[in-house]
Amino acid sequence: MTHSSEIAFCDSEVAFCGTNVIVVTSTVPVRATSRREKVSRWATALGITRLVEWLARRPALLVINYHRVGDPTADGYDSALVEATGDEFDAQVAVLKRRFPIVELPEVQEMVARRIEVRHPCVLLTFDDGYRDNHDVALPILRAHGVRAAFFLTTKLVGSARIAWWDQVAFMLRRTRRTTIQLEYPQLARWDLSEAPLERVIQEALRLCKKQEPVDLDRFVAGVELACDVARPNEGARMFMSWDEARALVAAGMGIGSHTHGHEFLARLSPEAQRDECGRSRDIIRENLGITVDALSYPFGSRASFSDVTYRCLEQTGYRTAFSYYGGINVPPVAERFNVERFNLDRSPLSHYRLRVGLAIATGRPIW
Ligand SMILES: [Zn+2]
């Protein structure tokens, strides 16, 4: 989870009170995405999407990041991480493949290391966290299209039946019978579930833990447990891929990278702990897959989630490239090697997806 995947809740009202933030429920129940979808439908009907796609010729490296592909309602966890159903992903890959060269992780690493300027738009597809559906749903689609993506594994989660903290939080909020949820930690926050859309509440609650300040995640999850009066699910049906499944990705020619060992907010850690997170995941992948990875994607991926200290730790532990996730595209000269920018396209109809990809290239920045 990088959780910079933003569902655009433009109507969210947030009141700042000193250092504390009280999240006030919005009275506007309409999701901004529905407005964006309407705009994209009109854009398609009026031929604007085709025009934007025709104009989208600026040299750029687009790295589009996914977390999960499948049925967003299937397991009741953090559905915002499901960026596409299988059918939607299939259509997205088909559109991208028809319009752009889809490059592979080693090509991008070479491009960045040798500062090779791209002369046309090209796309790399990446997946963070190592969810099982990456193997079960995304891999067959990628193989059918002859496309190779890159998968960044959180080694502590590979093969485990653990439920990640962000999925635990979503699970409890979905099942609570309480109408008011109040959290005291890491800051005061309150939602009225009779008014606020649940998906928004889940994302706002998760966002409380994505800041630079250290957060005791166990204390935060315990607070959600208490506020919801729902026990946290510690284990369940396996959600993350096994090492055998990761080996199948390697056998299919997919790129593999590290998403650290414990999915930590690296910049909050001491240099020693950062080195351990980066080095340990690399060692574990080598032991289990017999390959040496030298690319990493930062958990959370915001600008605050890594620093110059992180860069040194990456160098010391053998990495060549690292990917951020705060919503950028790479225009020549191609990015810093430890900050190749990625962005996310949250779940939307194909017309909207096409429009956003076209606009990102035409303008040099992701526009939602
Ligand atoms: Zn992640």
Side-chain angles (χ1 to χ4, degrees), residues 1-3 67 128-129 154 166 259 263 297-300:
M1 166 304 298
T2 26
H3 279 152
H67 297 86
D128 275 1
D129 296 337
T154 308
W166 54 88
H259 195 46
H263 204 283
S297 70
Y298 300 114
F300 304 91

